[in-house]
């Protein structure tokens, strides 16, 4: 059965038709603030129900519960605060109870009903969410760069700026209808920000052995230099699906969502969001959503023990490697042989070969996939 | 987020209580109330989708899925 959304009901705060027109006119007269691209993405995730049951940016009670208990004030699991930061000067003229227009690139995108304006301790946020206050951690650095106050309250989305990959993006209501059309009862979701190598394929197929369908769900959003470009990731997956997956068991769709690198907390967040998209299972990788060595390799697995009421089943599948003795792709749990027989698949190594214009060996990456990646003049972000 | 709550007092056989308690512990729930709430929710809500989707909206969704090649 496709699970009910987190909290029981799929949030929809995308206004359409007459209500939208009326609110757009009203919004012209409202005080407004300009929001960043990342907050715009949060806004869209809220409005389209990817962040159900959130109806807006968090008020202080929810924020503090999430920060310290990893649950909303109504006890539902939630691990990453979704907050809107503002400068005191920007909102000097507004008070709690007022409506505020949110603008992106000077254009009104949403209206927010200000329920609460409150202060926050960014260092404490970093300590709780990222388990470190080290500003070399990309998530911590971003937190420290945010503004001094938070505003909480419900939002209504009025406009969505177009996205170069908008035809690749599906929202929860769409994947839910799609899964029903396909008559899938169990769906495993796979989070990625990478082109697929043989290890990824192994993990996905291990999961797919037991489920009706697989949702390959690349995260679209801000990237750091050296990452593969989004178009490249989609093209590479299309090649893999075309040549190596049976018909009608895979859905490839982009997820517009921010990446925080919050390791274990983010693994839970990723699972909750996939539940909203209709997945019943979620593959959690080793050091999922981690960065550097801030988190232990299996911390992102252990944290699931604290959430028996998540409503989506995590699948902990060990990293795959090629074993010369076994004669195929295996993982630590099923291969008894020693290191000398094991060939690790390294993303770094593959990246280097791609940079040099070389096709990686077949045990690392399918040649059809490699060729597609190499067909791009420049597969990487700068 | 805070929804109104009602308090409910029910009497169940001790043997059933013990079984529920064991299940709750095994599943990792911190207290038995949380477990009972979770089980009841699952039971009552199964079969409902939690989506507010009119037939017209559903058709719009399908149209987009068709246009993008996800369904025939
Ligand atoms: Zn082996």
């Amino acid at each position: 059965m496709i699970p009910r959304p987190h909290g029981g009901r799929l949030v929809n705060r995308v206004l359409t038709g007459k209500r939208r027109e009326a609110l757009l006119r009203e919004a012209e007269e409202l005080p407004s603030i300009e929001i960043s691209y990342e907050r715009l993405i949060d806004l869209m995730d809220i409005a389209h129900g990817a962040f159900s049951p959130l109806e807006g940016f968090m008020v202080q009670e929810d924020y503090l519960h999430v920060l310290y208990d990893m649950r909303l004030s109504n006890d539902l699991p939630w691990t990453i605060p979704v907050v809107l930061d503002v400068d005191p000067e920007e909102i000097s003229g507004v008070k709690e109870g007022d409506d505020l227009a949110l603008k992106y690139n000077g254009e009104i995108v949403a209206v927010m009903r200000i329920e609460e304006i409150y202060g926050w301790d960014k260092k404490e946020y970093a300590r709780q969410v990222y388990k470190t206050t080290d500003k070399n951690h990309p998530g911590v650095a971003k937190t420290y760069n945010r503004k001094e106050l938070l505003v909480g309250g419900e939002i209504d989305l009025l406009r969505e700026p177009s996205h170069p990959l908008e035809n690749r993006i599906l929202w929860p209501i769409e994947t839910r209808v799609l899964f029903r059309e396909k008559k899938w009862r169990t769906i495993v979701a796979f989070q990625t920000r990478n082109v697929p190598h043989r290890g990824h394929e192994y993990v996905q197929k291990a999961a797919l052995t037991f489920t009706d369908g697989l949702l390959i769900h690349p995260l679209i959003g801000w990237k750091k230099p050296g990452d593969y470009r989004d178009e490249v990731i989609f093209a590479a997956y299309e090649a893999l699906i075309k040549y190596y997956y049976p018909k009608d068991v895979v859905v490839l769709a982009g997820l517009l969502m921010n990446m925080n690198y919050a390791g274990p907390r983010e693994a839970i967040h990723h699972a909750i969001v996939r539940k909203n998209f209709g997945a019943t299972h979620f593959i959690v990788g080793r050091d999922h959503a981690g960065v550097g060595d801030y988190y232990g390799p299996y911390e992102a697995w252990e944290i699931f023990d604290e959430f028996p009421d998540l409503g989506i089943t995590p699948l902990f599948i060990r990293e795959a490697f090629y074993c010369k003795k076994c004669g195929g792709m295996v993982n630590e749990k099923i291969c008894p042989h020693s290191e000398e027989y094991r060939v690790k698949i390294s993303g770094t190594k593959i990246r280097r070969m791609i940079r040099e214009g070389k096709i990686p060996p077949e045990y690392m990456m399918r040649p059809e996939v490699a060729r597609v990646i190499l067909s791009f003049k420049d597969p990487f972000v700068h | 987020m805070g929804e109104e709550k009602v308090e409910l007092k029910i009497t169940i056989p001790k043997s059933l209580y013990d079984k529920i308690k064991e299940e709750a512990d095994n599943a990792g729930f911190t207290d038995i109330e949380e477990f009972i709430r979770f089980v009841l929710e699952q039971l009552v809500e199964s079969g409902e989708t939690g989506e507010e989707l009119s037939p017209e909206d559903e058709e719009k969704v399908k149209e987009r899925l068709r246009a993008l090649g996800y369904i025939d």
Side-chain angles (χ1 to χ4, degrees):
Chain A
M1 249 337 247
I2 297 171
R4 285 176 64 105
H6 202 49
R9 194 181 66 81
L10 194 66
V11 167
N12 178 7
R13 302 202 68 100
V14 184
L15 284 196
T16 53
K18 288 216 166 61
R19 283 187 58 213
R20 172 177 175 271
E21 282 166 37
L23 196 55
L24 262 177
R25 268 196 305 276
E26 252 174 67
E28 298 289 345
E29 312 296 323
L30 293 175
S32 67
I33 60 164
E34 179 77 22
I35 59 169
S36 65
Y37 184 59
E38 289 188 297
R39 298 295 77 76
L40 173 70
I41 291 180
D42 284 343
L43 198 60
M44 289 165 76
D45 284 331
I46 295 166
H48 285 282
F51 285 174
S52 299
L54 304 191
E55 307 258 5
F57 289 100
M58 287 178 182
V59 293
Q60 190 171 28
E61 194 190 4
D62 280 320
Y63 166 67
L64 291 174
H65 265 94
V66 169
L67 203 61
Y68 292 108
D69 301 335
M70 299 196 283
R71 285 172 183 273
L72 296 168
S73 56
N74 67 0
D75 214 32
L76 265 186
W78 199 278
T79 49
I80 305 277
V82 179
V83 289
L84 178 60
D85 51 310
V86 294
D87 276 328
E89 308 84 68
E90 279 183 300
I91 53 151
S92 57
V94 298
K95 57 184 188 311
E96 290 168 5
D98 287 354
D99 282 356
L100 181 67
L102 306 182
K103 288 184 174 172
Y104 178 69
N105 274 343
E107 197 172 50
I108 291 170
V109 289
V111 166
M112 177 178 192
R113 262 147 299 279
I114 301 181
E115 206 173 311
E116 198 174 15
I117 303 171
Y118 57 103
W120 62 320
D121 180 342
K122 294 188 217 173
K123 204 164 186 181
E124 183 62 7
Y125 180 108
R127 193 176 294 125
Q128 295 299 329
V129 174
Y130 297 109
K131 296 179 135 190
T132 173
T133 53
D134 180 359
K135 61 181 185 326
N136 292 315
H137 183 297
V140 173
K142 274 193 186 169
T143 303
Y144 289 170
N145 279 328
R146 291 179 76 175
K147 298 168 180 173
E148 298 312 312
L149 289 178
L150 300 179
V151 286
E154 297 184 348
I155 57 96
D156 282 306
L157 189 67
L158 298 169
R159 261 202 206 102
E160 295 181 66
S162 68
H163 189 282
L165 289 174
E166 60 196 6
N167 285 340
R168 301 287 200 175
I169 296 168
L170 294 185
W171 290 111
I173 192 63
E174 294 168 326
T175 51
R176 287 173 164 269
V177 168
L178 178 56
F179 296 157
R180 273 203 296 274
E181 282 292 296
K182 290 186 173 292
K183 303 203 165 52
W184 290 353
R185 295 175 63 84
T186 50
I187 299 104
V188 61
F190 183 79
Q191 144 78 29
T192 185
R193 309 194 336 119
N194 240 313
V195 296
H197 59 50
R198 294 289 297 275
H200 300 128
E201 180 185 336
Y202 170 89
V203 167
Q204 289 167 14
K205 286 183 171 174
L208 187 53
T209 309
F210 301 99
T211 59
D212 297 333
L214 165 68
L215 170 64
I216 298 174
H217 218 188
L219 214 105
I220 298 177
W222 181 83
K223 301 233 150 167
K224 58 181 188 307
D227 284 350
Y228 290 96
R229 281 166 40 212
D230 290 323
E231 307 87 287
V232 178
I233 295 171
F234 277 96
Y237 262 109
E238 264 164 8
L240 182 69
I241 292 166
K242 180 173 172 196
Y243 292 106
Y244 294 96
Y245 283 80
K247 264 203 177 340
D248 284 333
V249 296
V250 187
V251 165
L252 171 65
L255 166 59
L256 194 59
M257 186 169 83
N258 292 310
M259 181 76 192
N260 306 287
Y261 301 99
R265 273 197 187 231
E266 197 150 27
I268 298 292
H269 184 63
H270 282 172
I272 291 171
V273 169
R274 270 47 181 237
K275 172 186 172 189
N276 285 331
F277 277 85
T280 53
H281 295 73
F282 179 62
I283 296 170
V284 189
R286 183 181 175 279
D287 196 23
H288 190 103
V291 61
D293 47 13
Y294 292 98
Y295 311 106
Y298 298 108
E299 255 185 84
W301 293 7
E302 288 151 11
I303 192 173
F304 280 85
D305 290 344
E306 296 174 49
F307 298 96
D309 52 344
L310 209 54
I312 179 167
T313 308
L315 295 180
F316 308 121
I317 306 177
R318 282 167 193 274
E319 252 181 330
F321 47 82
Y322 182 84
C323 172
K324 292 176 193 161
K325 273 255 166 160
C326 291
M329 295 295 297
V330 286
N331 66 45
E332 225 167 50
K333 205 174 166 197
I334 54 176
C335 161
H337 306 115
S338 58
E339 288 295 327
E340 56 178 309
Y341 299 106
R342 295 174 174 184
V343 189
K344 292 237 158 65
I345 302 170
S346 143
T348 317
K349 220 179 269 176
I350 293 175
R351 197 179 304 254
R352 196 178 316 130
M353 301 192 75
I354 298 281
R355 271 195 199 290
E356 290 165 0
K358 289 187 196 144
I359 301 236
E362 204 164 343
Y363 70 83
M364 285 191 187
M365 182 176 263
R366 300 288 190 184
E368 292 87 346
V369 173
R371 276 198 288 275
V372 164
I373 300 170
L374 285 168
S375 74
F376 283 84
K377 220 167 115 201
D378 187 0
F380 300 103
V381 174
H382 294 281
Chain B
M1 292 277 136
E3 198 187 323
E4 196 197 335
K5 303 220 162 53
V6 285
E7 213 177 279
L8 193 65
K9 204 173 162 182
I10 55 163
T11 310
I12 52 170
K14 172 80 169 58
S15 58
L16 177 60
Y17 177 86
D18 291 343
K19 268 189 219 158
I20 295 171
K21 174 110 183 43
E22 197 187 330
E23 280 290 321
D25 287 345
N26 288 343
F29 285 85
T30 46
D31 68 70
I32 185 163
E33 261 185 56
E34 190 190 328
F35 178 66
I36 292 173
R37 221 169 14 240
F38 179 70
V39 171
L40 289 178
E41 259 166 26
Q42 297 287 309
L43 195 71
V44 170
E45 292 175 352
S46 70
E48 285 181 37
T49 62
E51 303 150 13
E52 285 153 22
L53 197 63
S54 68
E56 299 82 57
D57 289 343
E58 174 143 1
E59 199 38 53
K60 256 188 231 160
V61 168
K62 284 182 186 164
E63 247 167 58
R64 179 164 194 256
L65 291 172
R66 251 176 245 123
L68 298 179
Y70 284 102
I71 51 178
D72 302 323

